[in-house]
Amino acid sequence: MSAANEYCDREIAKCKDMIRTWPHEALCLKRLIKGWQRTKQQLKNIETINNAEDSV
């Protein structure tokens, strides 16, 4: 797993922890989580593309 993916995972975990601490901010924090998940997916897609290009 790349450092960028690990960073996304840490940020998602932080947001989930903040929801437990500040439940009234859950809506905003869930939006942040979705953003980090999208970023992680984009990184995965880019990695797949790069691996495909390297094998050609």
Side-chain angles (χ1 to χ4, degrees):
M1 186 185 309
S2 72
N5 278 332
E6 289 178 19
Y7 183 79
C8 289
D9 287 338
R10 280 195 306 272
E11 291 302 312
I12 290 168
K14 284 181 193 176
C15 288
K16 288 180 179 179
D17 187 49
M18 285 191 274
I19 289 173
R20 285 189 288 277
T21 306
W22 297 291
H24 61 281
E25 298 292 347
L27 184 61
C28 177
L29 291 165
K30 285 179 182 179
R31 244 185 252 151
L32 283 172
I33 290 169
K34 284 188 187 289
W36 283 114
Q37 289 170 336
R38 274 194 306 272
T39 301
K40 188 175 173 183
Q41 183 62 44
Q42 288 173 344
L43 289 168
K44 187 177 177 183
N45 292 343
I46 290 168
E47 187 176 321
T48 302
I49 291 168
N50 288 342
N51 287 341
E53 289 175 354
D54 290 343
S55 65
V56 172

